[in-house]
């Protein structure tokens, strides 16, 4: 059975979220949903997430899963908001405590934040198979961008998270804490060893001036034309290229707010005694 896939492109962060479902009136999984965030006013809003909700209501879908490919550093997740509105279980890779521990130190979070992954409903292991109504989705552990990245293989479609970008954009960066270009290369080769006709769905598109947004490609197309990892590029060549390129990249604009929320499965830090939730900004640390 082929999955039904609806993509939602967020032009502000270049993120693509997906609703994957078996049939109208059936079951769905949401992958990598975005919460709108205005950093100037430090104000969140739900216009983007509400579009997913409207689609899910229109198709009369029951939400089984709200899946993250990793703890994103470029956008805040709307997983907690969607879970409140739609139900479903949140899930992320079982290596997430490593990421939580790293950022607990960076943000000097207190004892209320326990880095054990338990703020997600379920932690996923490599090879685990999820059910989405009549569909199945297999978890593929694809670390490198972070130590806890997953891809989700649903029948002939794979949601690759931050591993590959579209062929003309190459690959995701590997210089965040715990990132590793060598591991990223091996994860990408694992994806490129899938059958050539496998459809690959990106988590981001950063819109080169020459074209509009795109998020779907195939293993065959990536192997021929991905500018960083087409067939013939060796692991050492990739590591040299990726490392050199990462040195030139600025930190993502929303890194600091995003990570603090995303390691909490999209929940905001606890309210302080004045009823306000605060994010922290470390000085001269990142
Ligand atoms: Fe990412």
């Amino acid at each position: 059975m082929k999955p039904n896939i609806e993509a939602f492109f967020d032009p502000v962060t270049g993120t693509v979220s997906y609703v994957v479902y078996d049939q109208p009136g059936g079951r769905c999984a949401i992958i990598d949903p975005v919460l709108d965030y205005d950093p100037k006013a430090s104000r969140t809003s739900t216009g983007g997430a509400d579009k997913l909700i409207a689609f899910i209501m229109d198709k009369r879908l029951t939400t089984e899963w709200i899946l993250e490919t990793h703890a994103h550093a470029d956008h805040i997740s709307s997983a907690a908001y969607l879970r409140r509105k739609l139900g479903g279980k949140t899930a992320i890779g079982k290596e997430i405590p490593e990421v939580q521990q790293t950022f607990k130190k960076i943000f000097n979070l207190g004892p209320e934040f326990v880095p054990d992954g338990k703020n997600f409903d379920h932690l996923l292991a490599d090879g685990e198979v999820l059910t989405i109504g009549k569909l199945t989705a297999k978890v593929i552990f694809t670390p490198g961008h972070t130590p806890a990245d997953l891809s989700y293989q649903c029948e002939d479609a794979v949601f690759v998270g931050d591993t590959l970008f579209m062929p003309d954009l190459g690959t995701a960066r590997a210089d965040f804490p715990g990132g590793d270009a060598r591991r990223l290369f091996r994860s990408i080769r694992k994806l490129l060893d899938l059958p050539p006709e496998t459809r690959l769905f990106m988590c981001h598109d950063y819109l080169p001036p020459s074209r509009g947004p795109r998020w779907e490609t195939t293993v065959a197309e990536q192997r021929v034309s991905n500018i960083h990892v087409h067939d013939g590029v060796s692991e050492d060549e990739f590591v040299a290229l990726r490392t050199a390129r990462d040195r030139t990249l600025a930190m993502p604009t929303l890194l600091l707010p995003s990570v603090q929320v995303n390691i909490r499965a999209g929940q905001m830090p606890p309210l302080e005694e004045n009823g306000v939730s605060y994010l922290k900004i470390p000085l001269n640390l990142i």
Side-chain angles (χ1 to χ4, degrees), residues 75-88:
H75 67 267
I76 296 179
S77 167
S78 59
Y81 172 71
L82 292 174
R83 185 177 179 276
R84 277 198 303 278
K85 293 283 182 182
L86 298 169

Side-chain angles (χ1 to χ4, degrees), residues 144-182:
H145 171 65
T146 78
D149 285 59
L150 300 181
S151 299
Y152 298 101
Q153 181 177 17
C154 185
E155 316 295 340
D156 73 322
V158 182
F159 301 87
V160 301
D162 280 5
T163 52
L164 292 156
F165 291 153
M166 290 303 287
D168 56 349
L169 290 177
T171 57
R173 64 197 299 170
D175 61 336
F176 292 149
D180 184 326
R182 203 164 287 283

Side-chain angles (χ1 to χ4, degrees), residues 222-234:
Q222 292 282 17
R223 288 182 64 162
V224 170
S225 55
N226 186 291
I227 57 168
H228 296 166
V229 282
H230 57 80
D231 283 356
V233 175
S234 72

